[in-house]
Amino acid sequence: MGRALIGGLIARGTPPSQLAVADPSAAVTAALAQDFGVEATTSNTQAVEAATVVVLAVKPQLMASVVAPLAARLAAHRPLVISIAAGIRVAALEGWCGAGIAVVRAMPNRPALCGAGITGLYAPPGLAGESRERAEAVLAAVGETVWVGREDDLDVVTAVSGSGPAYFFLLAEALAQSAVRRGLEPETARRLAVATLHGAGQLAHASDGDLARLRAEVTSKGGTTEAALGSFAAAGFDGIVADAVDAAVARGRELSETT
């Protein structure tokens, strides 16, 4: 995700000289420097030196060990800190970053890698509008952005859009497997499923967003689609999806309790 943000920011006009990135792998930093022309280092403290915005693109389980050693540098320059780690609450981030550091939480999703992501953003009450605008500008480099009013809402964002691409891939995978069982060649089945996934997404994005209407437009009365959707309904499809989202929300909250 860090690579996606770097690429998106540069594509939108940010000079590479204004970006610095740190990664514990020297091979990764060398590749980032070569591919994007950014300053790349294995030292987190060097990367945040004099930064006005710091993006924390690390796994939730590593956040405390990464951020706490940076507290002195953050206090000296007081940048905006943006975290894209699932489940890590603002209170925990503020505790590690130090008093008075502006913190915004963000939850982008994997389509950010091709500039088609969407990011849920949350700012604690009282955060200056300028900080919100700067956070939104960073994440808008990889797709759409939406703000949520409660921090708990980010767990739902994570469950819906953060994890959501995997749900659609799973459905496409199941469709392809079903087609193979019905006699199609595997590559033909895969191409049909992938193109249908892509095309449906494009149709939805280009429309007014009325998903129920889009579904109805594909569903002729008494036709094949109606038969398939009836089978989904009989199997409790809505409940299955609701249970899956609930499980992802619960896991996000578990992650917050372990920090």
Side-chain angles (χ1 to χ4, degrees):
M1 195 59 69
R3 171 177 276 269
L5 285 168
I6 293 167
L9 287 165
I10 291 174
R12 290 200 172 201
T14 301
S17 60
Q18 291 186 10
L19 300 174
V21 58
D23 190 278
S25 167
V28 170
T29 58
L32 290 170
Q34 178 176 339
D35 293 346
F36 298 109
V38 298
E39 177 189 343
T41 175
T42 57
S43 168
N44 291 332
T45 54
Q46 181 179 334
V48 304
E49 184 68 39
T52 58
V53 178
V54 173
V55 178
L56 301 172
V58 300
K59 294 183 182 299
Q61 298 88 341
L62 300 177
M63 187 64 79
S65 62
V66 168
V67 179
L70 302 177
R73 296 293 179 96
L74 298 177
H77 300 288
R78 303 178 71 81
L80 168 66
V81 173
I82 303 171
S83 167
I84 63 172
I88 306 298
R89 295 301 195 252
V90 166
L93 292 163
E94 289 176 339
W96 298 324
C97 291
I101 301 298
V103 173
V104 170
R105 286 186 60 196
M107 180 45 57
N109 63 358
R110 194 164 180 81
L113 296 173
C114 60
I118 186 165
T119 299
L121 292 156
Y122 169 77
L127 189 73
E130 180 184 355
S131 293
R132 292 170 62 98
E133 291 171 5
R134 291 166 73 190
E136 187 167 3
V138 171
L139 275 304
V142 291
E144 297 182 47
T145 59
V146 296
W147 287 92
V148 296
R150 303 178 307 161
E151 188 165 16
D152 282 350
D153 290 341
L154 277 185
D155 294 322
V156 183
V157 171
T158 302
V160 173
S161 60
S163 301
Y167 313 157
F168 290 106
F169 296 149
L170 178 63
L171 178 58
E173 184 181 9
L175 286 171
Q177 290 170 348
S178 296
V180 170
R181 286 196 295 270
R182 287 289 182 172
L184 285 186
E185 292 295 324
E187 179 59 15
T188 299
R190 184 198 66 79
R191 288 182 61 190
L192 286 167
V194 169
T196 301
L197 175 66
H198 176 68
Q202 285 198 316
L203 277 175
H205 200 269
S207 75
D208 59 5
D210 186 339
L211 299 177
R213 178 184 58 76
L214 288 167
R215 173 178 49 76
E217 288 175 351
V218 185
T219 310
S220 300
K221 187 171 179 58
T224 59
T225 307
E226 186 178 70
L229 294 180
S231 179
F232 275 136
F237 183 75
D238 287 352
I240 291 170
V241 173
D243 288 345
V245 171
D246 287 347
V249 170
R251 180 53 181 157
R253 291 176 180 165
E254 287 173 2
L255 287 171
S256 71
E257 293 169 359
T258 61
T259 59

